[in-house]
Amino acid sequence: ALLSVRYPEEEGGSIRVTSVPAGATIFLDDEPTQWTTNTTIPGISAGDHSIRVEMDRYRVPDDRWVTVTKGANTTAHFNLEPITGSIEVTSEPSGAWVYLNGENMSVVTPATLENLIVGDYTVEVRTEGHEDYRTVTVSEDETVTVNFNLTPSGSGDGSSAGAVP
């Protein structure tokens, strides 16, 4: 049930709720509202209220207590901390350029990409004449390893015959 209590303006005030990044769901007195940051919620009864924001892939910050006074606008701001993990990228041979979601990360294998917000990423490696990619999922406080075999086909000692593709 979305909470959208409204009081006549002369009996209440408003709360401006902002966050970085914006777009978080606003909770008023532990109830979800119809609003997301950054916005001003009108018609809040005078008195003390708890404000919280929640956003996927970000840690839930502590509640903030604000005092609403008649006819006034109170502000609550939240800096949201992303939930992060890492990707370790290796290749055989090493020295391949690493791309993340199509963006050149300006590093070569082996490399560890840290502080990535949890979720799915396309990891690509490129060398002269060879490129490969995989989709990996970054989990909270974990390092996922992705290894690419960039050995050109037909090279080596021929023992790859019969290998499972």
Side-chain angles (χ1 to χ4, degrees):
L2 294 177
L3 184 71
S4 59
V5 179
R6 292 194 178 262
Y7 295 89
E9 283 304 315
E10 64 272 7
E11 291 182 24
S14 59
I15 304 174
R16 173 93 179 140
V17 186
T18 59
S19 69
V20 174
T25 299
I26 301 170
F27 288 74
L28 176 63
D29 297 324
D30 277 331
E31 294 291 329
T33 69
Q34 64 193 12
W35 292 287
T36 59
T37 56
N38 297 320
T39 195
T40 299
I41 304 174
I44 306 293
S45 62
D48 292 337
H49 295 276
S50 70
I51 295 287
R52 182 176 78 247
V53 297
E54 292 185 10
M55 190 169 186
D56 284 349
R57 305 182 333 164
Y58 289 83
R59 298 190 195 287
V60 176
D62 292 336
D63 287 22
R64 297 269 166 80
W65 283 92
V66 295
T67 302
V68 174
T69 54
K70 291 181 184 180
N73 186 31
T74 307
T75 301
H77 178 77
F78 297 86
N79 285 315
L80 300 179
E81 179 188 350
I83 299 171
T84 61
S86 301
I87 301 173
E88 180 184 23
V89 186
T90 60
S91 69
E92 187 56 49
S94 62
W97 287 102
V98 177
Y99 290 75
L100 192 64
N101 293 341
E103 181 183 342
N104 186 342
M105 301 308 293
S106 299
V107 295
V108 295
T109 58
T112 301
L113 308 174
E114 299 178 322
N115 297 314
L116 300 173
I117 297 176
V118 295
D120 293 339
Y121 291 87
T122 299
V123 178
E124 184 179 2
V125 291
R126 295 182 191 171
T127 61
E128 196 66 41
H130 200 107
E131 59 185 67
D132 197 0
Y133 70 92
R134 303 230 179 85
T135 299
V136 297
T137 300
V138 172
S139 300
E140 181 174 359
D141 298 329
E142 291 185 5
T143 299
V144 59
T145 300
V146 57
N147 181 51
F148 294 91
N149 183 349
L150 303 176
T151 308
S153 56
S155 69
D157 60 4
S159 64
S160 62
V164 177

